[in-house]
Amino acid sequence: VLGDTGRNFAAGMSGGVAYVYDPKGRFNALCNLSMVDADPIQSSPETAEDDAHRPMEQSPSVESSGMGNALSFDAERLRILIERHHRHTGSARARHILDNWETALGQFVKGMPKDYRLPLAAERQAAAAIAAE
């Protein structure tokens, strides 16, 4: 979301991730925090073992958006999403954010449903256990 949100944002949100540009710092007051966690955007890990979960600039297939694991790579995923948005719409706000990325990144909030995080973490642990075998 590169624009303002309304009151009670995320009410009924049961899955997915919302990245919200919040330069005025009002998101927590407008978000239904009983449903979602509002987290800062985390820097991307630099470990090679996570490369399989890293988001891609282009979708690899119709079955996959190429966005990788929703529990990590927030900064990379967000940048890719904004680049895609700018490429397809010519959005001036997206261009401004990309041109001022280091500052703008700190003005984003990640909204993730509390109940959505648990199965994603379990899925990630199961995949890691299988890979370790």
Side-chain angles (χ1 to χ4, degrees), residues 47-60:
T47 59
E49 64 263 10
D50 287 330
D51 281 348
H53 303 290
R54 192 174 298 277
M56 299 178 230
E57 288 187 32
Q58 294 193 341
S59 302

Side-chain angles (χ1 to χ4, degrees), residues 2 85-86 89-100:
L2 301 183
H85 176 66
H86 181 262
T89 68
S91 166
R93 180 167 288 172
R95 179 77 270 151
H96 174 77
I97 289 169
L98 293 169
D99 288 346
N100 299 285

Side-chain angles (χ1 to χ4, degrees), residues 20-49:
V20 180
Y21 184 52
D22 186 32
K24 297 176 187 170
R26 300 175 347 139
F27 182 72
N28 284 356
L30 296 171
C31 183
N32 185 329
L33 294 174
S34 68
M35 299 290 298
V36 300
D37 292 320
D39 300 321
I41 303 300
Q42 299 295 317
S43 297
S44 300
E46 296 298 326
T47 59
E49 64 263 10

Side-chain angles (χ1 to χ4, degrees), residues 73-121:
F73 300 105
D74 291 327
E76 278 186 52
R77 180 178 304 101
L78 178 58
R79 183 164 182 113
I80 289 168
L81 289 168
I82 295 171
E83 287 171 345
R84 287 180 182 181
H85 176 66
H86 181 262
R87 182 172 46 249
H88 294 293
T89 68
S91 166
R93 180 167 288 172
R95 179 77 270 151
H96 174 77
I97 289 169
L98 293 169
D99 288 346
N100 299 285
W101 183 246
E102 294 304 317
T103 302
L105 184 58
Q107 297 174 330
F108 276 90
V109 178
K110 176 183 180 178
M112 178 180 269
K114 296 174 187 214
D115 291 338
Y116 184 58
R117 186 181 308 266
L118 299 173
L120 288 178

